[in-house]
Amino acid sequence: FFRRPGDPDISVEVELGCSTWFNEPIIRTLRFLAPVIEQLDLDAFIRQHGVPPVQILCLTDGQDNQSQSRMRSFNGFLSELRSIVGPARHRPLFKPMPGCVTDIGSLNGQIPVWLCWIAVGLSSTPMLKGNAPKEICFIDAVTTPQYQDASRLQTLMPAQSSLTSRVGANSTASGSVNHSQSSTVASQ
């Protein structure tokens, strides 16, 4: 969601399901930005900011079952990324990498793109155990869920317990659902 300071509030409803569209939107975004990014003075940008102009940080369970088939795998994603050509110079524009640029000269005029996938959820375990491409930094954030008992939660969230005792277990003074309390009850 692209928002500017001062934009009016909006209500967004996201319906989750068993479909994940992940890699293709990244490629589409980079293709859209290619004409602007190609015009950057890469050396000046890195000297001024200390980082490359494009950084992609993905929080994922490792699934992508909605992108075009050629983009669903990491190798397919990287191939598509490397195939993006700058419209002015007609040369490959992006160089995927997992970390710092040590030698700007080694980029051959390409824009470095930091790629970092943070693996969450138990379904991302196969992604971490596979042959991961060296151009993507993978961070293992997978953990076995540990459920807390109700007395432990009351100790951890004393401010919420006082609110609950004043207005009721799952409502606020206006009668609407208190989402923090509701999600806490659900996780128990």
Side-chain angles (χ1 to χ4, degrees):
F1 299 99
F2 294 105
R3 308 279 297 148
R4 293 181 185 96
D7 282 354
D9 290 343
I10 60 171
S11 178
V12 177
E13 203 170 300
V14 177
E15 191 171 321
L16 301 176
C18 59
S19 298
T20 305
W21 190 40
F22 206 83
N23 296 342
E24 189 175 353
I26 295 169
I27 296 298
R28 286 182 176 200
T29 301
L30 291 175
R31 282 190 183 128
F32 176 79
L33 294 173
V36 174
I37 292 174
E38 185 180 31
Q39 301 306 315
L40 287 176
D41 179 344
L42 178 61
D43 294 342
F45 188 95
I46 291 176
R47 270 195 306 278
Q48 180 180 352
H49 301 285
V51 295
V54 181
Q55 301 172 47
I56 300 173
L57 181 65
C58 299
L59 188 66
T60 179
D61 65 358
Q63 306 300 313
D64 184 339
N65 59 9
Q66 294 299 305
S67 290
Q68 296 178 40
S69 59
R70 70 178 187 275
M71 289 187 227
R72 288 183 188 171
S73 71
F74 292 117
N75 289 327
F77 168 80
L78 289 169
S79 177
E80 288 290 321
L81 178 62
R82 288 187 196 101
S83 75
I84 298 173
V85 174
R89 298 183 192 124
H90 304 289
R91 295 186 327 199
L93 187 58
F94 298 112
K95 182 177 180 95
M97 54 184 35
C100 297
V101 177
T102 54
D103 178 18
I104 293 176
S106 70
L107 297 173
N108 298 320
Q110 289 181 291
I111 305 294
V113 179
W114 279 355
L115 298 173
C116 178
W117 263 242
I118 301 174
V120 296
L122 296 176
S123 63
S124 65
T125 302
M127 172 181 74
L128 296 168
K129 291 186 177 179
N131 289 332
K134 64 181 179 172
E135 295 92 340
I136 301 175
C137 173
F138 289 91
I139 296 176
D140 183 350
V142 177
T143 183
T144 304
Q146 295 181 10
Y147 298 99
Q148 303 290 325
D149 65 30
S151 62
R152 173 91 171 120
L153 288 174
Q154 295 299 329
T155 306
L156 293 173
M157 301 185 312
Q160 183 153 340
S161 341
S162 63
L163 173 67
T164 302
S165 64
R166 283 184 281 138
V167 294
N170 288 325
S171 64
T172 63
S174 65
S176 63
V177 173
N178 180 327
H179 293 287
S180 295
Q181 181 65 24
S182 297
S183 62
T184 302
V185 171
S187 66
Q188 293 176 10

